[in-house]
Amino acid sequence: MSHANLDTDATPPVRLLSHPGLSLLLLSRGGSSLGYQMQAVAVGWQIYELTHRAFSLGLLGLAQFAPMVLLIFVAGHVADQFDRRRVAALCQCVEALGATVLAAGSLLHFLTPGLIYAVVALLGAARAFEGPCMQAMLPSLVPAALFPRAAALSSSMLQTCTIVGPSLGGLLYGLGAPVPYVVCTAMFLVAACMNGLVRMESPPRPARKVDLDAVFGGIRFIRANPDILGAISLDLFAVLLGGATALLPVYAHDILHAGPVALGLLRAAPAIGALAVSLVLARRPISGGAGRLMFAAVAVFGIATIVFGVSRSLPLSIGCLAVLGGADVVSVVVRSSLVQLRTPEEMRGRVSAVNMLFIGTSNQLGEFESGSLAALVGAVPAVVLGGVGTLLVTLLWMKLFPTLRRLDRLEAS
């Protein structure tokens, strides 16, 4: 496997980009993420305009989460059996098709909430297969010693797209509902093309029959590694309880009394904070006290969620979301480094699939939980209770996973 003669002792983030495979992979992930973020803003605003119900926003998360639950373990097996580049590129083409349907439905006025949920479910199925493939490709392109920096650099790229995507999505939606979906189609197609150009050497993988032992191998591996289990389950429950992104249309429309451009800014705010922190981590990777730093970051995530929940000021709300995003990226880097560096190459697809299921549960199911709770008690109490729950989970996990709390370095000893 070629690593382009990278100096693992002193490689700045910019030099990592000189590796052609890594650059193309980041462009592919960036294009897909940009399209996804733009589409999320457009779909969220459109479904709320059609229904004016917070519960409808929760259903969007459920529509994307359900296919992931049904397909993610098979997707992990596929990622370990077939060419990950081709599988990911095919998924991105399916995402382009879904965006085209949304554009046509908006232009021709046949788009209904039911059709939106169906398209979102299709996109959820495609991302279930795309995610494990894209995650498992990164450690095959750089040496293990450079992976934390590469992971932080990848996070920087994704967060940049997350900043640009929501803002651009809100602006384009103001020009007409079909416009952002047309641009999303182009982004997904560009991502597929970049993915197809990645060149990487992988050891031959022995053929495995599709049975329960093979499909659920990732779960057994994670259960046998308490540090990995603790890291991804902490992220699951923290974001499940503390995630407020599903309610941003409610905050922008009813609480902050702003429009779609403000919604785009709110959606971009967590990524602004995450980008700043990920750039720091790309330059100065976590070298010690990783466990304590991760728990502290999750606690900050919970506090920022509470302050955002009670805010009535747009600048303060944006600031809280930026702090929230910066704290979250620390957990992301620690978790992804543990998962990829301590997993054998032939199992990375299946372990990444489990990791993605946890992430999807915290994000998509968290959106359903937030929308449902907001429908019962109101948006502000739902967000505040979620932030308090995040703090309680952090304290509980510190007791349940003491070795993770004492974790010093990310690499396996």
Side-chain angles (χ1 to χ4, degrees):
M1 177 185 313
S2 173
H3 296 302
N5 298 320
L6 295 175
D7 181 358
T8 59
D9 294 325
T11 301
V14 175
R15 278 201 60 200
L16 282 173
L17 291 175
S18 65
H19 189 291
L22 179 60
S23 299
L24 290 170
L25 179 63
L26 292 181
L27 286 173
S28 178
R29 297 190 73 177
S32 180
S33 176
L34 183 62
Y36 174 75
Q37 296 296 335
M38 291 172 55
Q39 187 168 271
V41 169
V43 167
W45 190 266
Q46 193 168 28
I47 198 73
Y48 193 67
E49 279 192 330
L50 290 173
T51 66
H52 294 284
R53 293 189 304 162
F55 186 68
S56 299
L57 298 171
L59 288 178
L60 281 178
L62 183 62
Q64 184 168 347
F65 173 72
M68 182 182 298
V69 172
L70 295 175
L71 298 172
I72 193 66
F73 293 109
V74 175
H77 184 75
V78 168
D80 284 336
Q81 284 293 99
F82 300 98
D83 189 328
R84 292 166 180 163
R85 297 165 300 174
R86 294 182 179 179
V87 174
L90 177 60
C91 292
Q92 289 159 348
C93 289
V94 172
E95 292 163 9
L97 175 62
T100 300
V101 172
L102 292 174
S106 299
L107 181 63
L108 302 177
H109 305 290
F110 64 79
L111 198 61
T112 64
L115 181 57
I116 291 176
Y117 295 139
V119 172
V120 168
L122 175 66
L123 296 175
R127 292 182 70 83
F129 284 87
E130 178 189 359
C133 292
M134 299 294 280
Q135 291 180 24
M137 287 168 62
L138 182 58
S140 299
L141 293 174
V142 296
L146 283 179
F147 182 82
R149 288 191 178 192
L153 187 61
S154 176
S155 179
S156 300
M157 174 71 74
L158 295 177
Q159 298 303 338
T160 300
C161 295
T162 305
I163 293 170
V164 175
S167 302
L168 185 58
L171 289 171
L172 292 177
Y173 193 89
L175 300 176
V179 178
Y181 298 131
V182 172
V183 178
C184 290
T185 299
M187 291 297 98
F188 289 133
L189 292 177
V190 168
C193 292
M194 294 298 100
N195 212 347
L197 294 175
V198 175
R199 294 291 177 266
M200 54 189 294
E201 299 175 7
S202 299
R205 301 170 191 158
R208 300 183 183 91
K209 62 180 180 178
V210 181
D211 56 19
L212 293 180
D213 183 66
V215 170
F216 293 102
I219 292 181
R220 292 197 312 275
F221 180 85
I222 290 174
R223 288 183 61 186
N225 291 268
D227 287 348
I228 296 178
L229 175 62
I232 64 176
S233 59
L234 174 64
D235 181 83
L236 184 156
F237 286 104
V239 179
L240 175 65
L241 295 173
T245 55
L247 300 178
L248 290 184
V250 178
Y251 268 82
H253 192 280
D254 298 337
I255 297 175
L256 300 174
H257 305 292
V261 175
L263 174 61
L265 293 174
L266 289 170
R267 288 295 296 259
I272 294 174
L275 174 61
V277 173
S278 60
L279 286 174
V280 172
L281 293 178
R283 187 69 182 178
R284 298 180 180 275
I286 298 171
S287 58
R292 294 190 301 273
L293 183 60
M294 183 182 67
F295 279 112
V298 175
V300 171
F301 180 94
I303 294 171
T305 299
I306 295 172
V307 177
F308 168 78
V310 299
S311 171
R312 295 297 184 274
S313 165
L314 181 61
L316 177 59
S317 298
I318 292 174
C320 291
L321 291 172
V323 171
L324 180 152
D328 183 56
V329 81
V330 175
S331 176
V332 169
V333 171
V334 172
R335 184 187 67 246
S336 62
S337 297
L338 282 175
V339 169
Q340 300 298 343
L341 292 179
R342 300 191 179 189
T343 303
E345 197 280 336
E346 66 274 9
M347 289 193 66
R348 280 182 181 142
R350 284 167 289 170
V351 173
S352 295
V354 178
N355 183 39
M356 185 176 172
L357 178 61
F358 276 67
I359 296 171
T361 299
S362 62
N363 291 334
Q364 277 75 54
L365 193 57
E367 291 180 6
F368 179 70
E369 178 270 335
S370 297
S372 300
L373 186 58
L376 293 175
V377 302
V380 172
V383 173
V384 172
L385 288 173
V388 172
T390 298
L391 294 177
L392 294 177
V393 166
T394 302
L395 294 175
L396 179 60
W397 254 238
M398 291 177 69
K399 292 184 176 294
L400 293 178
F401 298 93
T403 60
L404 178 60
R405 186 183 70 246
R406 295 191 296 266
L407 178 69
D408 187 41
R409 300 184 63 84
L410 294 172
E411 299 88 348
S413 57

Tab-separated table of all heavy atoms in Angstrom, residues 65-87:
chain	number	residue	atom	x	y	z
A	65	PHE	N	-33.757	7.262	9.221
A	65	PHE	CA	-33.153	6.316	10.153
A	65	PHE	C	-33.615	4.887	9.916
A	65	PHE	O	-32.824	3.944	10.027
A	65	PHE	CB	-33.498	6.744	11.583
A	65	PHE	CG	-33.072	5.761	12.636
A	65	PHE	CD1	-31.737	5.602	12.945
A	65	PHE	CD2	-34.007	4.982	13.300
A	65	PHE	CE1	-31.334	4.693	13.908
A	65	PHE	CE2	-33.625	4.077	14.264
A	65	PHE	CZ	-32.276	3.925	14.573
A	66	ALA	N	-34.889	4.686	9.576
A	66	ALA	CA	-35.432	3.334	9.438
A	66	ALA	C	-34.679	2.492	8.406
A	66	ALA	O	-34.326	1.336	8.695
A	66	ALA	CB	-36.926	3.406	9.108
A	67	PRO	N	-34.409	2.996	7.194
A	67	PRO	CA	-33.646	2.170	6.242
A	67	PRO	C	-32.246	1.844	6.742
A	67	PRO	O	-31.715	0.768	6.443
A	67	PRO	CB	-33.593	3.049	4.981
A	67	PRO	CG	-34.709	4.007	5.117
A	67	PRO	CD	-34.843	4.264	6.585
A	68	MET	N	-31.660	2.755	7.507
A	68	MET	CA	-30.320	2.492	8.029
A	68	MET	C	-30.330	1.308	8.984
A	68	MET	O	-29.455	0.437	8.937
A	68	MET	CB	-29.782	3.742	8.731
A	68	MET	CG	-28.364	3.583	9.273
A	68	MET	SD	-27.792	5.052	10.141
A	68	MET	CE	-27.845	6.258	8.827
A	69	VAL	N	-31.335	1.268	9.856
A	69	VAL	CA	-31.431	0.153	10.796
A	69	VAL	C	-31.585	-1.170	10.055
A	69	VAL	O	-30.976	-2.186	10.406
A	69	VAL	CB	-32.618	0.370	11.750
A	69	VAL	CG1	-32.859	-0.866	12.603
A	69	VAL	CG2	-32.360	1.564	12.643
A	70	LEU	N	-32.393	-1.171	9.005
A	70	LEU	CA	-32.684	-2.398	8.270
A	70	LEU	C	-31.500	-2.871	7.428
A	70	LEU	O	-31.325	-4.072	7.219
A	70	LEU	CB	-33.899	-2.186	7.366
A	70	LEU	CG	-35.233	-1.907	8.086
A	70	LEU	CD1	-36.315	-1.590	7.067
A	70	LEU	CD2	-35.635	-3.099	8.955
A	71	LEU	N	-30.676	-1.943	6.956
A	71	LEU	CA	-29.669	-2.292	5.949
A	71	LEU	C	-28.219	-2.173	6.410
A	71	LEU	O	-27.332	-2.662	5.722
A	71	LEU	CB	-29.857	-1.392	4.714
A	71	LEU	CG	-31.192	-1.502	3.980
A	71	LEU	CD1	-31.283	-0.411	2.910
A	71	LEU	CD2	-31.342	-2.879	3.348
A	72	ILE	N	-27.966	-1.534	7.539
A	72	ILE	CA	-26.599	-1.151	7.866
A	72	ILE	C	-25.668	-2.345	8.044
A	72	ILE	O	-24.498	-2.293	7.658
A	72	ILE	CB	-26.589	-0.242	9.120
A	72	ILE	CG1	-25.236	0.424	9.272
A	72	ILE	CG2	-26.961	-1.026	10.364
A	72	ILE	CD1	-24.903	1.399	8.185
A	73	PHE	N	-26.151	-3.444	8.628
A	73	PHE	CA	-25.258	-4.576	8.838
A	73	PHE	C	-24.926	-5.277	7.520
A	73	PHE	O	-23.793	-5.709	7.293
A	73	PHE	CB	-25.882	-5.564	9.837
A	73	PHE	CG	-26.004	-4.996	11.224
A	73	PHE	CD1	-27.233	-4.661	11.744
A	73	PHE	CD2	-24.876	-4.782	11.996
A	73	PHE	CE1	-27.348	-4.124	13.020
A	73	PHE	CE2	-24.963	-4.253	13.269
A	73	PHE	CZ	-26.211	-3.914	13.783
A	74	VAL	N	-25.912	-5.373	6.640
A	74	VAL	CA	-25.628	-5.901	5.302
A	74	VAL	C	-24.680	-4.959	4.571
A	74	VAL	O	-23.769	-5.399	3.856
A	74	VAL	CB	-26.937	-6.080	4.512
A	74	VAL	CG1	-26.641	-6.505	3.081
A	74	VAL	CG2	-27.833	-7.104	5.194
A	75	ALA	N	-24.855	-3.649	4.766
A	75	ALA	CA	-23.978	-2.677	4.119
A	75	ALA	C	-22.539	-2.840	4.584
A	75	ALA	O	-21.596	-2.716	3.788
A	75	ALA	CB	-24.471	-1.261	4.409
A	76	GLY	N	-22.340	-3.099	5.872
A	76	GLY	CA	-20.994	-3.324	6.371
A	76	GLY	C	-20.356	-4.546	5.751
A	76	GLY	O	-19.160	-4.542	5.404
A	77	HIS	N	-21.127	-5.615	5.589
A	77	HIS	CA	-20.617	-6.820	4.941
A	77	HIS	C	-20.264	-6.528	3.484
A	77	HIS	O	-19.231	-6.992	2.984
A	77	HIS	CB	-21.659	-7.935	5.030
A	77	HIS	CG	-21.208	-9.242	4.473
A	77	HIS	ND1	-20.324	-10.063	5.142
A	77	HIS	CD2	-21.494	-9.875	3.301
A	77	HIS	CE1	-20.103	-11.149	4.410
A	77	HIS	NE2	-20.802	-11.046	3.297
A	78	VAL	N	-21.108	-5.761	2.806
A	78	VAL	CA	-20.825	-5.385	1.417
A	78	VAL	C	-19.523	-4.586	1.337
A	78	VAL	O	-18.704	-4.785	0.430
A	78	VAL	CB	-22.001	-4.577	0.832
A	78	VAL	CG1	-21.620	-3.928	-0.499
A	78	VAL	CG2	-23.221	-5.477	0.647
A	79	ALA	N	-19.299	-3.679	2.291
A	79	ALA	CA	-18.085	-2.863	2.284
A	79	ALA	C	-16.833	-3.701	2.468
A	79	ALA	O	-15.753	-3.323	2.001
A	79	ALA	CB	-18.168	-1.795	3.375
A	80	ASP	N	-16.947	-4.841	3.150
A	80	ASP	CA	-15.793	-5.720	3.356
A	80	ASP	C	-15.640	-6.760	2.249
A	80	ASP	O	-14.639	-7.462	2.212
A	80	ASP	CB	-15.913	-6.438	4.705
A	80	ASP	CG	-15.575	-5.525	5.874
A	80	ASP	OD1	-14.847	-4.539	5.664
A	80	ASP	OD2	-16.052	-5.797	6.992
A	81	GLN	N	-16.615	-6.854	1.356
A	81	GLN	CA	-16.576	-7.875	0.307
A	81	GLN	C	-16.340	-7.297	-1.088
A	81	GLN	O	-15.777	-7.980	-1.940
A	81	GLN	CB	-17.899	-8.654	0.289
A	81	GLN	CG	-18.035	-9.669	1.408
A	81	GLN	CD	-17.056	-10.819	1.274
A	81	GLN	OE1	-16.019	-10.831	1.929
A	81	GLN	NE2	-17.359	-11.767	0.415
A	82	PHE	N	-16.755	-6.075	-1.337
A	82	PHE	CA	-16.700	-5.513	-2.682
A	82	PHE	C	-15.853	-4.250	-2.710
A	82	PHE	O	-15.426	-3.745	-1.665
A	82	PHE	CB	-18.120	-5.233	-3.195
A	82	PHE	CG	-19.006	-6.447	-3.265
A	82	PHE	CD1	-19.915	-6.723	-2.248
A	82	PHE	CD2	-18.918	-7.326	-4.332
A	82	PHE	CE1	-20.723	-7.847	-2.296
A	82	PHE	CE2	-19.725	-8.449	-4.389
A	82	PHE	CZ	-20.624	-8.713	-3.373
A	83	ASP	N	-15.620	-3.752	-3.902
A	83	ASP	CA	-14.836	-2.533	-4.094
A	83	ASP	C	-15.571	-1.362	-3.452
A	83	ASP	O	-16.642	-0.954	-3.908
A	83	ASP	CB	-14.650	-2.281	-5.598
A	83	ASP	CG	-13.665	-1.159	-5.877
A	83	ASP	OD1	-13.577	-0.216	-5.064
A	83	ASP	OD2	-12.973	-1.212	-6.913
A	84	ARG	N	-15.004	-0.833	-2.386
A	84	ARG	CA	-15.672	0.215	-1.620
A	84	ARG	C	-15.888	1.478	-2.452
A	84	ARG	O	-16.866	2.197	-2.265
A	84	ARG	CB	-14.859	0.540	-0.366
A	84	ARG	CG	-14.854	-0.609	0.646
A	84	ARG	CD	-13.790	-0.434	1.704
A	84	ARG	NE	-13.804	-1.560	2.656
A	84	ARG	CZ	-12.807	-1.862	3.478
A	84	ARG	NH1	-11.699	-1.137	3.453
A	84	ARG	NH2	-12.900	-2.885	4.296
A	85	ARG	N	-14.961	1.754	-3.353
A	85	ARG	CA	-15.113	2.947	-4.186
A	85	ARG	C	-16.342	2.843	-5.073
A	85	ARG	O	-17.121	3.801	-5.197
A	85	ARG	CB	-13.866	3.134	-5.061
A	85	ARG	CG	-12.577	3.379	-4.282
A	85	ARG	CD	-11.377	3.186	-5.172
A	85	ARG	NE	-11.345	1.826	-5.710
A	85	ARG	CZ	-10.465	1.414	-6.611
A	85	ARG	NH1	-9.594	2.253	-7.123
A	85	ARG	NH2	-10.480	0.158	-7.026
A	86	ARG	N	-16.542	1.704	-5.707
A	86	ARG	CA	-17.669	1.541	-6.626
A	86	ARG	C	-18.999	1.543	-5.879
A	86	ARG	O	-19.989	2.108	-6.361
A	86	ARG	CB	-17.508	0.253	-7.427
A	86	ARG	CG	-16.314	0.274	-8.375
A	86	ARG	CD	-16.230	-1.005	-9.175
A	86	ARG	NE	-15.096	-0.977	-10.105
A	86	ARG	CZ	-14.772	-1.970	-10.920
A	86	ARG	NH1	-15.497	-3.092	-10.916
A	86	ARG	NH2	-13.741	-1.860	-11.722
A	87	VAL	N	-19.029	0.902	-4.722
A	87	VAL	CA	-20.272	0.884	-3.944
A	87	VAL	C	-20.645	2.305	-3.533
A	87	VAL	O	-21.807	2.727	-3.671
A	87	VAL	CB	-20.119	-0.005	-2.701
A	87	VAL	CG1	-21.351	0.094	-1.806
A	87	VAL	CG2	-19.892	-1.461	-3.117
